Amino acid sequence: MSSTSLFIKAAEIAEVMGKSKSYGYKVVRELNKELSEKGYMIVEGQTNRQYFYERFYGLLPIGVTLFAAPAKMGKTFMCMQMANAIAKGGKFLGNQCMKKNVYYLAFEDTENNQITRLQKSSYDIAEGYDIEYCRAYQTGFDLEQKIINYLYYNSNLGVVIIDIFEKIRTNSDRTYSIEYKEVTYYHELALKYHIVIVLVMHTVKRIDYNNVFANIFFLGGSAGVLAAADGIIVMLRNQINKNIRMLHLTGKGIPTDVLHTKQDETMTFYKIEIEEDVEVIDSEL
């Protein structure tokens, strides 16, 4: 099918996202359900092409996405690689990304650390991948004003990454209602400017592999952060092979899935097939 046609079929979605055809059908059903609820006519087996591309930037739906991982897991390298792929309009872990500017707010890394990370990478830094080094726990931090300032010079903004979310949180109350309102603010901000906001987070140290997404809200104190999010990504080590990082994905209109990845010598992540799980057994187990 021509990429200029109004509708996109499950097979093409699967190819764009680097997934199976059955996964493509799941996405079609989810998006058609959303469109139907909005009052639009739908066509079985395919969905509106523009709506599909608006909902997904690689692995990211429009709105707010939580990206969580334990400390020293490589989440900053993962986010930097994803940001570069989006700014270039290339592929990230087999998923085609729309070419959009990425505004990376680094609260945890110093400029020297970011430069060192970039020097280790195997990819050329794309134009439109912009990093700002920020002081943590700023009084009166205003993300919307930063977005407005960025858009004044770069109207193609698609993704804002906050690394790390805890460094801009000022409310110590971790009740469900407070956390829900907190993340809902970023959700509404993202919808207002039609962008993706990625909130990078830590998980708890003691991982519950039977309920991977709970490893986020146990840290905050409630499930409020999960309920308000449009997308959730949790990166964990494989329990059998410690060299494998598993990306657990879920969200609104996103079928739950797991991607298996490894890092090469340049710290770049690449997608692997599940059969590679048996290559190396963790000697610490």
Side-chain angles (χ1 to χ4, degrees), residues 123-173:
Y123 48 82
D124 295 327
I125 305 305
E127 182 178 354
Y129 172 21
D130 299 307
I131 304 173
E132 180 179 342
Y133 305 96
C134 304
R135 180 170 53 83
Y137 305 114
Q138 296 179 35
T139 302
F141 174 77
D142 189 343
L143 180 59
E144 182 169 18
Q145 189 58 54
K146 283 187 172 293
I147 291 172
I148 292 171
N149 293 344
Y150 188 94
L151 285 169
Y152 182 81
Y153 297 100
N154 304 280
S155 61
N156 194 44
L157 177 63
V159 180
V160 176
I161 299 177
I162 308 294
D163 187 5
I164 191 165
F165 181 41
E166 188 64 29
K167 299 298 178 71
I168 65 171
R169 302 179 80 176
T170 56
N171 195 327
S172 59
D173 191 338

Side-chain angles (χ1 to χ4, degrees), residues 69-138:
K72 310 301 181 184
M73 184 66 65
K75 59 183 175 295
T76 296
F77 274 112
M78 180 73 79
C79 287
M80 291 171 65
Q81 184 180 338
M82 176 174 65
N84 199 65
I86 294 170
K88 187 179 292 185
K91 286 191 174 184
F92 174 65
L93 301 180
N95 295 276
Q96 183 62 48
C97 302
M98 293 182 66
K99 182 177 173 60
K100 290 284 184 176
N101 280 41
V102 180
Y103 185 21
Y104 197 118
L105 299 176
F107 288 87
E108 200 165 51
D109 260 2
T110 63
E111 183 172 1
N112 287 338
N113 285 346
Q114 281 277 343
I115 291 173
T116 299
R117 292 179 193 271
L118 291 170
Q119 288 174 338
K120 288 182 179 179
S121 66
S122 60
Y123 48 82
D124 295 327
I125 305 305
E127 182 178 354
Y129 172 21
D130 299 307
I131 304 173
E132 180 179 342
Y133 305 96
C134 304
R135 180 170 53 83
Y137 305 114
Q138 296 179 35

